[in-house]
């Protein structure tokens, strides 16, 4: 597999480590009234997507950036690769 | 009897004889021969016995699809079974033996199985060896293994070496026949970077086997000229003897380059190179493979595919027989008759199953149209054929052509499904080929050479243009159009004679019929029930024929019957080639600590910790048992001073204005207010509330921290921290980098550790207990100005320090510490003593941080802050994780101190049971996770988990080890066995 | 004056091997310092290093040189550069901070990495056995730098000449890396 790194271009998947769903970026607020449910959902509940799946990969043997990779689980086609920190910021996360 | 079948010409060098050995007989071939062609030149038709029935078998093909001529090549440890003679380049001293016979090849004692063949039909394993069940492993299987099988292994380690490599190109062209060469030329002329790979050791494909004329030259000469043109271009890489065996995701291809001949000449050279080829586009020009026709006794030596007869004749200058017959269902088979005739070989008969006008006339040959071969005679070599019109014809060779199947395997490696083409009577690739792959020539079903050349030519240019290169405007090579007409013919009614479909697995048309009758209708099921299409040839000559027979049996179309799934590898790949260099000590790289050289000099025993080599203990002269060394190291450290290399602990340098806030969010305890010059112990959880790692973090200045992690988790903790920073809080000003290798770090532990260090720490730094108290950290200099970091932290429970210097000084510092330490009898200690001391102190480590333990389970609930969010906070609060009856970490010591002493093993792994409980899973209360002999307490002690342990101290239970056979009464106690108040580390 | 002295050593003791068309040699007395760039200070750093040394922040995968050609900056990550320059002192961190005079965070990495130069006309033939990156001379141009994995060892590769590449691996792996290169040479030559 090859992941087209947004900063470095195509790199072999051997350089990367897979984590899981990109939902993990959206870590709930610890002071929310529904915090227990929120964290349960965040940690454990995943859609088993047959199609375009947004997932986190870490470029461990490269620039050590976390990437949000949109990959089709049926064809392995990689549709999009973004820096997770950019996505995180665009979701309103910062400090 | 020397090469009696050799004729003039061919693409071999008849000036250069090459000697080799087959079944103990010294034979001669020529340079450019394959093992198969050299055997045929020497009139060796019988080259093996079949897998199941031990039928005599001869060479069927001239390529990688060969089912019969598979041999043991090489001797001693070099022996490799199942080597296809048809693709083995002949070299001097090649040593080959035929397979699957007991006794000589000509008189196989196991051939008797052939007469029991009615008992050995499809599924016979399943039917025959059902009962009694116990017999399978001890009687049936060994017997079957002994009588069947494909060659034997040397049972020695493979002495050959293998390598791998990575190559990149714009366009990979697979197959260097007329189509591939045409594609390569236009692709390369456009400027694209091209790799042209061919499984043969000579490029040219079928051009080398045929008598085509291209651009006014013999095909093989045109190929040589074209290859020369390509090899002169900088943007072209030619890879001969290289089989592209698999198509993987995103344009990655696996290819094996065979360098047998080189490796035989120089044993240090790799025998094969496993290439990973990264491509933007691929053009598959893999050609086609001829198939046979199933008729009675169609497997005798001397019955050969018609195309193979031409290959041996034209390329290798071998006439496989003197009186040859041809049996075909298509025009192509007639070429064999023509080529033989032109070389002066007698063609006695041409039998064509089609009721059409003869394709040509061949002087001296009887022609039978609308006729089939229904049987043959001759046990070890064919003597005659019987025709459907009742005639018998004496012949010494039968060339059979059942038509051509495109080599579309690679198009299906991403689950592509071929489609049926009625006109060509074969499967052709459909549009489901891997992304980036296009197909040209006969691999696509373009069977007419002239068309295939144009197709290759155009695709090479078009694919290059797609990639932005300027299309080539050259003209395609020209060759006369030769039609290819075929009418499918799968099997011929042959009475009681068996008609073979899969030669390698001894599957007959009747076996397939039986399988179908017994309800196996899916092609995948038939394959597994009959073993059709398995083993080294993967049914390359058999599968389509079998599908044709199945379709007839079940009265359905070829499309409905379908093919089995194609998977890599396309052709067999030696396991060694996948292992590559990763053998023995080179399975993984080795990491050495800064004190390694010194430790090796002390005869340290090393232990692998991940990739690291760490000193496990340092035996002194006279010590004969590891425990003697370890007990001494512990006692000496606790009574004076010991030194241990702890460089392997992960060290992460953190800088930035938000680092303290960041640490506060990843540790359960408070880090926001750690003062400069202090170290704090920290526990990290996973988000699910389970302990992930622990370590110490020192604040060296306002915005500069240095963290340690456990050796095992150094990489994963760093990754986790990057996740937290980049994904969760990207705007925190935190910059982290691993400094694990930047500093050599030694633990200096024991009551004399300060005195020792004071001798090397430069005098301007006060490290007295007052100035540099427990948990202090600071940047100092040693030995006259060498920068160092000093941390007053203790894993041993003693007054202890960890001192770090730039790794360049690591070896030297170890030597200096030992030299300075002489007056205190300082000793080095290894990971065993380290482990003993940590268990004596009740520190959790790897066996306790096992992914199932919360901070509370580890007795560290008190550390958990309730005033802040941190990773693992919310889910760690879940009710079930707080229950009193969870498995909690506590200490265990034997009620009778002498227990296990005589046995010499610890409590580790023992399960905990009530005093009167039976040792059953239901009664299991927990287990001992870490256990050591404590020289300080004079008994074995352990850390472990037991239900509600923290409230059960003082209670006695049993530690039962059913594996080693011990049952010891133990008392549940505090895990802090030694110096429970921690007085020793604060002095 | 201390009674004891510490002596330094390079990871591979300055190893140098010559083969037909290939030279393998440890690069010694070079320092490597990580220069971390806070997000809001990148522009300031860029102008500061221009002023102090005539440097600029390189684009990803490339390098820039100071006006005296001594300091090379490598860009392997978005928010940091590595300063690679001849310096054998123990205080490279302070030294480069002083030289660059830019509002960045500096962390010495000189002892983290072992550096091996592979040079000669067959260098790419040797490297293609271990390096998964495309080293086509027109693509991985002189001055290109990348971090990848070779033989399971995290490795930085920097092209510092026509046929010259510097491989950096973590110091503890240096013997394994040297061995890997030597095996490649043996297999290829």
């Amino acid at each position: 597999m090859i992941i087209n790194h947004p900063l470095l271009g195509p790199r072999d998947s051997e350089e990367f480590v897979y984590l899981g769903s990109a939902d993990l970026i959206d870590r709930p607020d610890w002071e929310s009234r529904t915090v227990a449910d929120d964290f349960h959902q965040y940690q454990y509940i995943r859609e088993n997507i047959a199609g375009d799946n947004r997932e986190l990969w870490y470029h461990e043997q490269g620039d050590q950036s976390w990437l949000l990779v949109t990959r089709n689980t049926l064809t392995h086609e990689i549709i999009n690769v973004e820096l997770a920190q950019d996505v995180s910021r665009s979701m309103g996360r910062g400090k | 009897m020397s090469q009696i079948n050799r004729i003039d010409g061919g693409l071999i060098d008849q000036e250069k004889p090459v000697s080799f050995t087959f079944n103990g007989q010294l034979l001669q071939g020529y340079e450019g021969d394959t093992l198969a062609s050299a055997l045929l030149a020497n009139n060796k038709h019988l080259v093996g016995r079949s897998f199941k029935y031990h039928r005599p078998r001869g060479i069927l093909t001239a390529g990688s699809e060969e089912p019969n001529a598979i041999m043991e090549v090489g001797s001693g440890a070099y022996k490799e079974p199942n080597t296809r003679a048809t693709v083995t380049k002949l070299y001097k001293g090649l040593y080959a033996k035929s397979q699957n016979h007991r006794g000589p090849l000509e008189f196989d004692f196991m051939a008797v199985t052939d007469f029991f063949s009615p008992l050995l039909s499809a599924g016979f394993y399943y039917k025959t060896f059902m009962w009694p069940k116990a017999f399978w492993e001890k009687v049936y299987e060994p017997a079957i293994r002994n009588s069947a099988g494909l060659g034997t292994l040397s049972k020695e380690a493979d002495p050959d070496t293998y390598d791998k490599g990575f190559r990149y190109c714009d366009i990979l062209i697979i197959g260097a026949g007329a189509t591939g060469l045409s594609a390569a030329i236009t692709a390369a002329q456009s400027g694209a970077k091209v790799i042209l790979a061919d499984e043969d050791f000579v490029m040219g494909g079928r051009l080398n086997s045929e008598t085509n004329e291209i651009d006014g030259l013999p095909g093989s000469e045109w190929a040589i000229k074209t290859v020369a043109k390509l090899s002169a271009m900088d943007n072209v890489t030619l890879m001969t003897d290289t089989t592209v065996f698999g198509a993987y995701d995103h344009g990655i291809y696996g290819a094996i380059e065979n360098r047998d001949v080189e490796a035989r000449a120089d044993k240090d050279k790799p025998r094969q190179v496993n290439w990973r080829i990264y491509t933007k586009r691929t053009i598959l020009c893999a050609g086609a493979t001829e198939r046979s026709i199933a008729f009675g006794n169609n497997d005798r030596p001397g019955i050969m595919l018609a195309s193979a007869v031409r290959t041996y004749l034209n390329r290798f200058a071998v006439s496989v027989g003197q009186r040859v017959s041809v049996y075909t269902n298509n025009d192509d088979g007639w070429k064999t008759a023509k080529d033989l005739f032109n070389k002066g070989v007698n063609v006695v008969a041409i039998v064509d199953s089609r009721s059409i006008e003869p394709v040509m006339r061949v002087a001296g040959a009887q022609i039978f149209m609308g006729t089939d071969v229904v049987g043959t005679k001759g046990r070890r070599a064919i003597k005659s054929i019987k025709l459907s019109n009742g005639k018998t014809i004496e012949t010494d060779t039968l060339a059979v052509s059942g038509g051509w199947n495109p080599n579309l395997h690679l198009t299906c490696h991403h689950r592509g499904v071929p489609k049926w083409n009625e006109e060509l009577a074969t499967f052709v690739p459909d549009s489901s080929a891997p992304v980036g792959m296009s197909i040209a020539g006969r691999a696509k079903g373009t069977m007419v050479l002239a068309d295939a050349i144009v197709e290759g030519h155009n695709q090479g240019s078009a694919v290059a243009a797609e990639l932005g290169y300027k299309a080539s405007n050259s003209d395609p090579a020209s060759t006369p159009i030769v039609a290819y007409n075929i009418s499918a013919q799968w099997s011929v009614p042959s009475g009681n004679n068996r008609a073979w479909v899969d030669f390698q697995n001894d599957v007959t048309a009747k076996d397939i019929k039986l399988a179908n009758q017994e309800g196996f209708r899916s092609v995948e099921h038939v394959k597994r029930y009959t073993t059709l299409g398995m083993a080294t040839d993967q049914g390359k000559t058999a599968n389509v024929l079998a599908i044709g027979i199945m379709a007839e049996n079940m009265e359905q179309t070829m499309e409905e019957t379908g093919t089995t799934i194609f998977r890599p590898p396309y052709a067999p790949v030696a396991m060694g080639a996948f292992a590559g260099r990763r053998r023995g000590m080179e399975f993984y790289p080795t990491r050495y600590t800064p004190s390694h050289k010194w430790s090796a000099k002390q005869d340290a025993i090393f232990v692998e910790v991940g990739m690291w080599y760490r000193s496990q203990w340092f035996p002194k002269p006279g010590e004969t048992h590891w425990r003697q060394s370890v007990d001494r190291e512990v006692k000496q450290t606790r009574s004076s001073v010991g030194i241990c290399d702890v460089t392997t602990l992960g060290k992460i340098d953190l800088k930035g204005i938000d680092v303290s806030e960041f640490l506060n969010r990843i540790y359960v305890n408070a880090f926001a207010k750690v003062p400069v010059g202090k170290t704090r112990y920290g526990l990290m959880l996973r988000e699910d509330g389970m302990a992930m790692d622990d370590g110490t973090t020192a604040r060296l200045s306002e915005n500069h921290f240095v963290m340690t992690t456990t050796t095992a988790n150094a990489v994963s903790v760093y990754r986790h921290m990057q996740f937290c920073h980049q994904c969760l809080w990207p705007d925190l000003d935190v910059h982290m980098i691993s400094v694990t290798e930047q500093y050599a770090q030694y633990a200096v532990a024991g009551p004399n550790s300060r005195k020792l260090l004071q001798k090397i720490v430069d005098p301007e730094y006060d490290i007295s207990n007052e100035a540099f108290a427990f948990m202090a950290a600071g940047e100092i200099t040693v030995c006259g100005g060498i920068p160092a970091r000093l941390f007053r932290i203790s894993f041993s429970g003693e007054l202890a320090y960890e001192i770090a210097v730039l790794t360049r000084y690591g070896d030297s510092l170890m030597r200096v510490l030992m030299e300075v330490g002489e007056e205190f009898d300082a000793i080095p200690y290894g990971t065993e003593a380290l482990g003993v001391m940590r268990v004596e102190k009740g520190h959790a480590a790897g066996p306790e941080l096992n992914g199932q333990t919360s901070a509370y389970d580890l007795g560290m609930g008190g550390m958990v802050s309730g005033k802040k969010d941190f990773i693992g906070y919310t889910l760690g609060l879940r009710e079930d994780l707080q229950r009193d009856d969870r498995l909690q970490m506590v200490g265990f010591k034997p009620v009778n101190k002498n227990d296990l002493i005589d046995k010499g093993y610890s409590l580790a792994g023992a399960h905990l049971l009530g005093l009167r409980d039976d040792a059953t899973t239901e009664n299991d209360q927990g287990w001992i996770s870490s256990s050591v002999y404590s020289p300080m307490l004079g008994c074995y002690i352990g850390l472990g988990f037991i239900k509600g342990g923290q409230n059960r101290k003082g209670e006695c239970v049993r530690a039962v080890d059913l594996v080693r056979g011990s049952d010891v009464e133990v008392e549940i106690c505090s895990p802090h066995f030694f110096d429970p108040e921690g007085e020793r580390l604060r002095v | 004056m201390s009674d004891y002295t510490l002596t330094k050593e390079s990871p591979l003791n300055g190893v140098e091997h010559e083969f037909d068309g290939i030279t393998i040699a440890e690069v010694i007395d070079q320092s490597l310092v990580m220069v971390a760039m806070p997000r809001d200070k990148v522009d300031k750093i860029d102008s500061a290093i221009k002023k102090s040394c005539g440097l600029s922040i390189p684009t990803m995968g490339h390098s820039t040189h100071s006006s005296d050609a001594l300091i090379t900056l490598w860009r392997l990550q978005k928010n940091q550069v590595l300063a690679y320059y001849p310096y054998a002192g123990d205080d490279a961190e302070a030294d480069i901070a002083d030289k660059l005079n830019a509002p960045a965070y500096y962390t010495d990495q000189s002892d983290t990495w072992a550096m091996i130069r592979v040079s000669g006309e067959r260098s790419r033939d040797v490297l293609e056995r271990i390096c998964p990156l495309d080293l086509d001379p027109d693509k991985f141009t002189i001055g290109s730098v990348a971090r990848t994995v070779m033989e399971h060892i995290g490795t930085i590769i920097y092209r510092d000449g026509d046929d010259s590449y510097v491989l950096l691996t973590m110091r503890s792996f240096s013997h394994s890396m040297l061995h890997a290169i030597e095996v490649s040479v043996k297999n290829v030559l």
Side-chain angles (χ1 to χ4, degrees), chain B residues 164 168 269 581 741 809, chain C residues 90 132 151 172 184 186 189:
Chain B
K164 50 131 199 17
Y168 281 79
K269 292 290 180 194
R581 300 181 184 182
E741 304 244 5
Y809 295 115
Chain C
D90 297 339
E151 302 300 289
S172 65
S184 298
K186 187 196 81 180
L189 290 189

Side-chain angles (χ1 to χ4, degrees), chain B residues 225-262:
Chain B
K225 210 178 110 187
T226 308
V227 169
K229 215 192 275 181
L230 287 166
S231 73
M233 297 170 88
D234 284 343
N235 55 331
V236 178
T237 304
L238 299 175
M239 298 177 78
T240 51
D241 218 344
T242 300
T243 305
V244 178
F245 63 79
Y248 300 93
D249 283 320
H250 307 148
I252 299 174
Y253 288 79
I256 290 289
E257 181 182 5
N258 181 29
R259 307 178 72 114
D260 245 346
V261 177
E262 201 184 349

